[in-house]
Amino acid sequence: MTTGKKLPPGPRGIGLNRLIHRVRDHAGFFQHYHDQYGDIVYFTMMFNKMCLVYSPDIIEEVMVTKRHAFEKGPLYHRNKILVNPTTMTTVGPQHRRLRKLIQPSFRLNAIRGYAEIMIDEAVKLRDRWEDGAHINVDVPMHQLTLDIVAKAFFGRDSRVDSILLKEVLSSLGWRAALTFIPFGNFIGELPIPKNKRARQAIEDLDRVVYSVIEKARYSEEERVDLVSFLINAKDEEGIDPALTSEEVRDESYVMLIAGHETSANTLVWSFYYLSRYPEVRARLEKEVDEVLGGRLPTTEDIDHLVYAGAVMDEVLRISPPSILVGRRCIEDCELGGYHIPKGTIVQPFIRAPHRNEKYWPQATEFRPERWFEPDQPKRPTHAYIPFGAGESKCAGVAFARSEVVLTLAIITQRWRVETKSKEFPKVNTLAGFYKPTGGLPCIVHRRE
Ligand code: HEM
């Protein structure tokens, strides 16, 4: 059944050139179609029906008011490592049950425990740097967020480390990539080193997850890692059953994917913008010195590091690390007054409303001050969505805020990070994460 309306504007043809454009320059591809056709664009790309969405109102339709017309996360199913439905891949009642059960893992008492790990790991990183050292800041930030995830998710006593997690993430990527190529399933079964390593990494992490689950279920000690919170979570209304061990295992894989690149790239972009805007960096240094006075931060300081929070908000506005979200229409529907056929992949481009001058004057300028200005333009609710929107809004907002604000404060106490080049770096977004291609070469200087 169709709605009787027209398809949104957009180019015609099967779209081989579009595929090439998208692979070469993902962000530029989205921007190009926005500039050419407006707030909603429709086309086919190698037999896939695609719809790109740019305005807060239509984004709201996709993610909030008409969310029941969409399924999400088809890519996650493709890697064949996740067996059960997860928060990332479900909608409706199934999703509501999972959200209810993961909620305790992100309450204040849980965040306090994770924050202690964040502080310890950021201090270790800070102590490793030397004055005048040349670093690619991408590397320590990814390492840091993986070290934090290893301990916060699986416990300080678990054998998991960033090397294993890196191997697991690369295995997940490899399994997903195989589903796009002819004979991918067959290739995935061949006894080649890549497949062996992938299988081994998943088996190693599974062993850790199931042993944490055993400890959390049967030992007397109170454990404060994410896996233990998940296995012990109960529906307070007593309606939905608790998570099974396999569901906890899958959910922890999803959190690993969702909660590592995003925070690492927020930190990388923070150092880029702080280096490009020395007056912002000076104000951040002043706040850090005044609030902390040389001591280490605690969880309580996060709310007092107001300017550091505004730096994070502004980074997420100007260069959101999750550049888009993906949905697939499970029935014919209407968006922005246009007809969208069943099966269309619909992708809201998060960065578009963030860079719209109507909502954000001087939108391409990095100005954390804007977050304190009393006379800001009136904005639609979904003009700022770095963490998504509606029922599927990011579950890890408090985790990410603690991680980024604490790390910025701890590094800023001692170091000034200068990018080597003043040019805007080349960006890679193919996997959906907006990050500098090849990282961000920098020099670290000890503060006076
Ligand atoms: C600055 C860092 C982060 C950013 C920018 C970010 C962004 C997002 C976005 C845009 C979504 C929505 C995806 C969609 O609707 O399809 C999302 C969902 C999610 N994020 Fe985050 N995220 C961040 C950090 C984290 C962390 C640290 C965790 C876990 C510890 C996490 C866990 C999740 C989960 C579980 C979901 C799925 C929620 C649901 O579907 O109900 N995220 N995130």
Side-chain angles (χ1 to χ4, degrees), residues 123 125-129 131 288-289 408-416 445-448:
V123 168
L125 168 70
R126 175 177 87 173
D127 291 350
R128 279 199 295 270
W129 285 358
D131 195 16
V288 167
D289 294 347
L408 282 181
I410 289 167
I411 303 271
T412 301
Q413 277 183 311
R414 187 174 304 165
W415 301 110
R416 210 169 258 178
H445 300 287
R446 187 181 278 272
R447 284 181 58 205
E448 293 302 315

Side-chain angles (χ1 to χ4, degrees), residues 63 72 87-90 95 99 102 106 153 226 251 254-255 258-260 262-263 266 312 316 321-322 324-327 350 385-389 391-397 399-400 403-404:
M63 298 179 74
K72 56 179 198 174
T87 43
M88 278 283 183
T89 50
T90 47
H95 176 256
R99 275 303 286 236
I102 67 166
F106 296 106
F153 287 13
L226 180 124
E251 209 56 58
V254 159
M255 300 275 186
H260 146 66
T262 44
S263 302
T266 306
M312 176 178 178
L316 291 175
S322 295
L324 57 89
V325 292
R327 298 287 185 268
I350 287 183
I385 47 162
F387 292 107
E391 287 180 352
S392 292
K393 188 172 172 185
C394 178
V397 175
F399 188 108
E403 195 173 22
V404 172

Side-chain angles (χ1 to χ4, degrees), residues 15-33 41-46 48-54 75 180 323-327 344-350 427-433:
L16 178 60
N17 56 338
R18 286 190 278 284
L19 182 65
I20 295 167
H21 186 176
R22 187 166 183 159
V23 169
R24 284 207 176 130
D25 177 14
H26 203 195
F29 167 87
F30 272 85
Q31 193 58 50
H32 170 79
Y33 285 105
V41 182
Y42 181 90
F43 50 77
T44 57
M45 195 165 75
M46 302 311 290
N48 284 314
K49 294 174 275 194
M50 305 276 311
C51 175
L52 312 184
V53 169
Y54 301 92
L75 250 182
F180 286 104
I323 198 163
L324 57 89
V325 292
R327 298 287 185 268
T344 303
I345 295 169
V346 177
Q347 296 188 313
F349 186 48
I350 287 183
V427 172
N428 170 5
T429 54
L430 200 55
F433 295 116

Side-chain angles (χ1 to χ4, degrees), residues 111-124 144 147-153 155-156 224-225 406:
I111 296 290
R112 279 216 178 91
Y114 307 146
E116 282 174 23
I117 292 166
M118 293 165 187
I119 294 164
D120 287 355
E121 296 300 324
V123 168
K124 272 193 233 162
L144 173 69
D147 285 336
I148 291 171
V149 159
K151 296 202 166 72
F153 287 13
R156 286 182 191 254
V224 289
D225 50 83
L406 289 169

